[in-house]
Amino acid sequence: MATEPAVYGSSDRPPRGDYTRDGLVLADYTCPQNYTAYTPQDHDTYRRLFERQSALLPGLACDEFIAALPSLGVKDRIPRFEEINDKLYPATGWEVVAVPGLIPEVPFFTLLANRKFPVTDWIRTPAEYDYIVEPDVFHDLFGHVPLLFNPVFAEHMQAYGAGGLKAHRLGACELLSRLYWYTIEFGLVRQANGLRAYGAGILSSSGELQHSVRSPEPQRIALDVTRCMRTRYKIDSYQQTYFVIDSFQQLFDMTAPDFTPLYAQVQTLGELAADARLASDRVL
């Protein structure tokens, strides 16, 4: 069954990925991992990316991520998804599933609500080694999957999927996407030994990993869900604002209530620029 790619933001080129694969892409956008298509260069790109990011983690990544990273298994090649699932499913009931690229909101939320994390199965080219516009297999596996071994974070991700389906019915996906962006993709956590990154977009980027934790340039604000949902974000530069949590349990508790009245409130308050500064912000 043919499926159409998703397009988020603006781009000069169409989304990458083969969304037909001779009928192998299902209606929910999942497909078999195209493992035989990987070249020796693809595996080497993954290996080099893994080695570089792993070396940067101490003092920058949160303890839970560092503890879970070995669960990804092999480092010298792109893992087979079933190898990861052999460990992940018994740990938290999650599994990774292959998709050809970016997928629309409803299939994405539905997969998360069913404890299935969609992983793009192609990898960047050597020319994109330092920066890639769309998520690839390295970003999805290295950045997102380790924390799915954490029971509290795993519960939060499933709840986010269920909440996303509700937000779609309410026409509030843009507001919820900002929460995803500033937490799951670009979130910071305050540990006893200082600020650390837990967002996948940070953890899979050598430059932003250091920028987010150590640079004096961005502002770092204690997470407030309303403030977060009001704040626009940029996809083509380092973040100007980061939201900070104290623990994954705090994130789970803060996002557990029904967001229906919150969506209405945010829409009346209006949007804020990515670099907005408010007197009420609790700056960290």
Side-chain angles (χ1 to χ4, degrees):
M1 178 177 180
T3 52
E4 295 297 323
V7 178
Y8 298 102
S10 59
S11 176
D12 294 330
R13 63 172 178 77
R16 191 183 313 183
D18 181 357
Y19 287 77
T20 58
R21 296 203 186 170
D22 298 323
L24 294 178
V25 180
L26 303 179
D28 64 356
Y29 283 81
T30 62
C31 58
Q33 183 185 14
N34 196 10
Y35 201 84
T36 58
Y38 298 135
T39 66
Q41 184 181 68
D42 291 335
H43 289 297
D44 188 60
T45 296
Y46 182 89
R47 177 191 62 78
R48 292 190 299 122
L49 286 166
F50 197 106
E51 288 180 353
R52 179 178 71 173
Q53 289 305 114
S54 298
L56 293 172
L57 297 179
L60 296 174
C62 69
D63 293 341
E64 293 88 345
F65 182 87
I66 292 175
L69 186 60
S71 297
L72 286 185
V74 295
K75 309 172 186 178
D76 59 346
R77 61 172 170 84
I78 300 169
R80 294 181 182 272
F81 294 174
E82 59 264 30
E83 295 173 344
I84 295 174
N85 290 336
D86 286 344
K87 299 178 182 179
L88 181 58
Y89 190 82
T92 58
W94 275 81
E95 58 184 315
V96 297
V97 293
V99 291
L102 289 171
I103 66 176
E105 292 166 341
V106 171
F108 178 70
F109 294 143
T110 301
L111 288 172
L112 295 187
N114 287 283
R115 300 178 92 87
K116 299 178 187 291
F117 191 83
V119 174
T120 300
D121 67 349
W122 52 260
I123 194 163
R124 68 193 71 182
T125 66
E128 299 166 308
Y129 185 76
D130 290 315
Y131 176 75
I132 187 168
V133 176
E134 298 172 45
D136 68 343
V137 68
F138 178 76
H139 166 83
D140 284 341
L141 283 185
F142 188 95
H144 284 285
V145 174
L147 286 180
L148 292 176
F149 283 88
N150 179 278
V152 177
F153 196 84
E155 290 298 320
H156 170 69
M157 288 294 288
Q158 182 183 29
Y160 181 89
L165 293 172
K166 183 174 182 179
H168 179 78
R169 295 193 297 269
L170 297 173
C173 282
E174 173 61 26
L175 302 184
L176 195 63
S177 72
R178 293 173 183 168
L179 181 65
Y180 187 95
W181 182 268
Y182 282 117
T183 57
I184 295 168
E185 288 288 358
F186 290 93
L188 298 178
V189 58
R190 184 166 51 180
Q191 297 183 166
N193 54 354
L195 289 178
R196 298 292 187 267
Y198 73 89
I202 301 174
L203 293 165
S204 61
S205 166
S206 61
E208 189 137 12
L209 181 55
Q210 299 174 75
H211 173 83
S212 65
V213 176
R214 293 179 175 164
S215 173
E217 296 176 5
Q219 61 175 343
R220 301 170 180 89
I221 304 171
L223 179 64
D224 176 278
V225 175
T226 301
R227 171 75 162 86
C228 185
M229 286 187 179
R230 294 180 63 195
T231 307
R232 298 191 299 272
Y233 58 85
K234 295 183 177 181
I235 65 171
D236 56 357
S237 64
Y238 292 162
Q239 302 308 300
Q240 297 166 295
T241 297
Y242 295 97
F243 289 89
V244 183
I245 60 173
D246 293 326
S247 67
F248 294 149
Q249 187 62 51
Q250 181 199 34
L251 176 63
F252 184 78
D253 293 343
M254 290 180 71
T255 56
D258 179 9
F259 281 172
T260 303
L262 184 61
Y263 293 144
Q265 178 188 5
V266 170
Q267 288 166 345
T268 62
L269 292 172
E271 296 183 329
L272 296 169
D275 60 349
R277 298 175 184 268
L278 303 181
S280 58
D281 289 339
R282 187 158 67 90
V283 179
L284 301 174

